[in-house]
Amino acid sequence: MSLDINSIIKEFEIDGELIHSEPFGCGHINDTYAIYFERETKPPVRYILQRINSEIFDVKKLMENICLVTDYLKERIAAEGGDPLTNTLTIVRTREGRSYYEDKDGNCFRIYLFIENTVSYQSAATTTVLENAGKAFGHFQKLLFDFDASKLHEVIKDFHDTTKRFAALKESVEKGIPERVEAAKAEIDFAFKREKYCSEIVDRLGDSIPLRVTHNDTKLNNILMNPDTGESVCIIDLDTIMPGSLLYDFGDSIRFGANTALEDETDLSKVNFSMDMYRAYTKGFMSEMGEFMTDTEKELIPMSCILMTYEVGIRFLADYLIGDTYFKTTHETHNLERARNQFKLIEDMESKLGQMKDVVKDYSL
Ligand code: ADP
Ligand code: GN1
Ligand code: MG
């Protein structure tokens, strides 16, 4: 979809003339653009403009969550001596003081300050980056420790309820495009054989696994990092902040960051689970959150990595079967390839589960 960016930006509290805009980043959900404005001082100032995916999100509720959380984080960040303008997202308001603008066709747009001098990694970078990513998400959990979870809307219902995700897969197998169901026989079989994983976290949530405020989409490319030091500057993509389990965040980071290849790599010989990356992330995360975690949470860390990889894998697979309605794709088999990639990673993790448990013990002291 091509956007009339000029007519969108005039709704927002931004001065100066728009001189350039370009699609930006590699997200699977929103349409993201960098937009550049001329200023008296050089270079031009840029912002992030996003068309929020209103097919999957209730935008009003989502933006209420983001406003509440970023306001809270800004206070906490200032109190610990950080910079509230770069260490969390800043929403640019509309001229009417709203956090987003909805056009006459129901398209919803928001603008964030662009956080400069940062990179977002698309695949496993170095152990230093992974250790810092672990620290960053652990610290993020810590900052939100006392945030009242009841204030937040559940923006996507049952987002990490793997049992319901499995039920959705089954339905896609029954009602999906027959040729695609046929083409994905081996992957469907792989997923069905592992149904037992589904209940590992969700059945204990709110019981031996505390309900916390979690990010729920902790891909490495949802952290902006300092390219020189590899340290985290800002955690972004706050769309899915909701009550959840710390294990969701841990497992999701590992499924992306400890993969030796990109998430859509089709040469599966390149897709392996890196113990070094896993160790580095565990070290960083536990240095921030270890003392606050329950024994059950610690015990389930390795399983959470398998589980979150499984959950995303079956989501890619289900989306392929029903004709790619959710994740952005560039070609017909894209979601199937992504599912295969995740399943290869699961096999590798399954063979290393014992070692993964030992690593958690190393950092639990
Ligand atoms: P999606 O939900 O589609 O993944 P994101 O909010 O993660 O969308 O944004 C997509 C990409 O845009 C990010 O991975 C990052 O590279 C970039 N990005 C998003 N927000 C900012 C920001 N405030 N400053 C700089 N880059 C950003
Ligand atoms: C989506 O928005 P993005 O690209 O960071 C998805 C995650 C998946 C991920 C798989 C709201 O993340 O749940 O794990 O793709 N986000 C949503 O790459 O569904
Ligand atoms: Mg993202």
Side-chain angles (χ1 to χ4, degrees), residues 26-30 50 215 217 219 221-222 236-237 239:
C26 299
H28 291 342
I29 302 297
N30 299 304
Q50 290 184 314
H215 182 284
D217 189 359
K219 284 199 317 203
N221 68 9
N222 286 331
I236 59 166
D237 203 345
D239 295 340

Side-chain angles (χ1 to χ4, degrees), residues 138 142 212 246 282-295 297-298 301 363-365:
K142 219 150 97 176
R212 304 174 185 268
L246 158 159
T282 307
K283 183 178 177 199
F285 190 91
M286 300 288 275
S287 72
E288 291 283 336
M289 271 306 282
E291 62 182 303
F292 306 107
M293 288 167 69
T294 65
D295 289 344
E297 283 177 320
K298 286 183 192 161
I301 278 187
Y363 297 106
S364 291
L365 307 172

